[in-house]
Amino acid sequence: QVHVVESGGGLVQAGGSLRLSCAASGRTFSRYAMGWFRQAPGKEREFVAAISWSGGSTGYADSVKGRFTISRDNAKNTVYLQMNSLKAEDTAVYYCAVKTWGTYSTQYIPLEYEYDYWGQGTQVTVSS
């Protein structure tokens, strides 16, 4: 069982920044691929960013590329999502996801169904 807890959400003005954190339990955290997804009101959950288990591969949705950065600190069992130049359309609940099964892919994983553990989500609201 892996426990996933997101933090760092809040209210920010357009153009501002936030850093989300995701802490996941498990002695083999360094082997987990991790991802961030978001769900805006009335919309389906969508991919935001992901990072491979080693951190050597990262990927982003086109809508956040150049503004968001995903990183990980395996010593702290934590993944981060640095969000800069925030826009009103970034308003959503942000979810952290963990993939614990399968082989150790060297690539980031953007597919929601690949992840088997999810956090409860953290609200990000960007005012225009």
Side-chain angles (χ1 to χ4, degrees), residues 34-117:
M34 306 287 292
W36 286 97
F37 294 77
R38 68 186 181 186
Q39 187 168 22
K43 295 186 177 181
E44 294 193 352
R45 190 157 58 186
E46 64 177 2
F47 168 72
V48 175
I51 188 166
S52 64
W53 67 274
S54 67
S57 174
T58 58
Y60 302 89
D62 288 342
S63 59
V64 307
K65 203 170 292 184
R67 301 187 298 121
F68 291 11
T69 302
I70 189 171
S71 62
R72 66 189 297 158
D73 184 340
N74 288 341
K76 297 182 178 180
N77 281 22
T78 301
V79 170
Y80 304 98
L81 184 68
Q82 178 67 43
M83 306 186 296
N84 299 327
S85 302
L86 283 161
K87 305 175 181 180
E89 50 263 44
D90 294 318
T91 295
V93 177
Y94 283 71
Y95 297 92
C96 178
V98 183
K99 173 180 165 65
T100 67
W101 61 278
T103 58
Y104 303 141
S105 171
T106 58
Q107 300 301 311
Y108 72 92
I109 300 171
L111 303 173
E112 189 172 335
Y113 66 80
E114 292 275 5
Y115 293 91
D116 50 339
Y117 289 97

Side-chain angles (χ1 to χ4, degrees), residues 3-35:
H3 294 285
V4 184
V5 180
E6 304 100 335
S7 62
L11 174 64
V12 63
Q13 288 188 332
S17 298
L18 281 175
R19 188 176 80 156
L20 304 183
S21 298
C22 171
S25 64
R27 288 179 291 180
T28 56
F29 174 85
S30 62
R31 301 179 185 177
Y32 302 156
M34 306 287 292

